[in-house]
Amino acid sequence: MHTREEKLEAFGRLLDVLDKLRVECPWDKKQTNESLRPNTIEETYELCDALINNDTKNICKELGDVIMHVMFYALMGSEKGDFDIADVCNMEADKLIFRHPHVYGEVKVDSVKDVLENWEQIKLKEKDGNKSVLSGVPASLPSLIKAYRIQDKAHNAGFDWKNKADVWDKVREELGELETELKKEDTERATRELGDFLFSVINAARLYHLNPENALEHTNQKFIRRFNYIEKESLKKGKMLNDMTLEEMDDLWDKAKQTEKQLM
């Protein structure tokens, strides 16, 4: 691993490269916050893919792309006289120090739970912090992650189930209300009840310390693997999927499951 001096030198090198590109590259010269934003979102998802696959080489590569974007926004900020990369780093360091009084102050904590319970209260005390517990949840977050964050923040403020097992009564209640509206064929009300049901399932996952985003992605990947198996095996039989019966596809699905079990 590199020394601290080597890390600082590498950071400075990237700063120099970006400064040069901003002046001499036609594409880099024309970028704005608005034009770069879609690329930033794409790079973030590419990093997430590498993390999910535990692809060390690509994690390193995609982290570089994300860091480059952070530095690019800071460079554009400096051009307008708003802020530069030093301001970005110092603001983050100040925030971390303030939010970790158990490390930089006299506060005593015994567990991760203690840290999390203090976290939201500390943020509310910040001079420029959020005015309410939930206002810090980004509006643009994907809905599944947003639901988890909302529930987690409410928990840190003391609003939560006393007995986590009670959440299953709520899940069953919401499922019953969804089924009722589906029988009525009321699409609008059924959509709202579906939202309530999903919210309750995510809440149950949180209470049992399960990550619903990771769980759902695991199932997505499992479905893709098994469906790809069906496609591959159907071609071996000289058939297209549309030519197969549901029973034939179900049989291949079961074989895909058995193949996975043998590899585990």
Side-chain angles (χ1 to χ4, degrees), residues 45-223:
Y45 277 107
E46 288 178 358
L47 171 59
C48 289
D49 284 345
L51 291 168
I52 289 170
N53 295 325
N54 197 26
D55 185 341
T56 305
K57 182 177 179 180
N58 270 323
I59 290 173
C60 182
K61 172 182 173 294
E62 299 303 339
L63 280 172
D65 290 338
V66 171
I67 289 173
M68 185 276 289
H69 277 245
V70 171
M71 295 169 74
F72 205 152
Y73 287 114
L75 175 58
M76 291 187 287
S78 69
E79 292 169 350
K80 292 183 279 188
D82 294 335
F83 60 88
D84 62 17
I85 192 65
D87 295 312
V88 173
C89 293
N90 284 326
M91 185 176 291
E92 185 65 19
D94 289 343
K95 182 172 68 176
L96 289 172
I97 290 169
F98 183 80
R99 292 184 182 179
H100 291 78
H102 52 288
V103 176
Y104 291 95
E106 303 300 323
V107 174
K108 302 296 183 183
V109 295
D110 297 318
S111 65
V112 172
K113 181 174 180 291
D114 292 340
V115 174
L116 293 176
E117 287 178 350
N118 289 334
W119 189 263
E120 297 300 335
Q121 297 304 318
I122 291 172
K123 287 200 291 185
L124 289 175
K125 295 175 183 177
E126 291 176 355
K127 183 177 180 182
D128 296 318
N130 303 316
K131 291 188 171 76
S132 73
V133 171
L134 299 182
S135 64
V137 179
S140 58
L141 272 181
S143 296
L144 191 153
I145 299 173
K146 185 191 292 185
Y148 191 96
R149 292 293 294 127
I150 288 170
Q151 295 164 0
D152 197 41
K153 282 180 173 290
H155 161 79
N156 290 335
F159 185 76
D160 207 351
W161 297 87
K162 289 183 178 179
N163 182 359
K164 66 181 181 181
D166 292 341
V167 73
W168 296 112
D169 290 333
K170 185 63 175 176
V171 171
R172 284 186 282 269
E173 175 190 330
E174 297 297 352
L175 177 59
E177 292 176 0
L178 170 59
E179 291 175 330
T180 297
E181 298 304 332
L182 287 171
K183 289 176 183 177
K184 296 178 183 177
E185 298 186 354
D186 187 329
T187 303
E188 183 176 343
R189 291 181 64 87
T191 299
R192 290 201 295 268
E193 294 301 339
L194 175 60
D196 291 345
F197 172 66
L198 293 174
F199 193 85
S200 67
V201 171
I202 293 168
N203 205 13
R206 178 188 60 81
L207 287 165
Y208 283 86
H209 307 293
L210 303 174
N211 187 308
E213 171 69 19
N214 291 346
L216 183 57
E217 182 56 25
H218 175 78
T219 298
N220 287 340
Q221 294 301 320
K222 180 170 62 177
F223 185 92

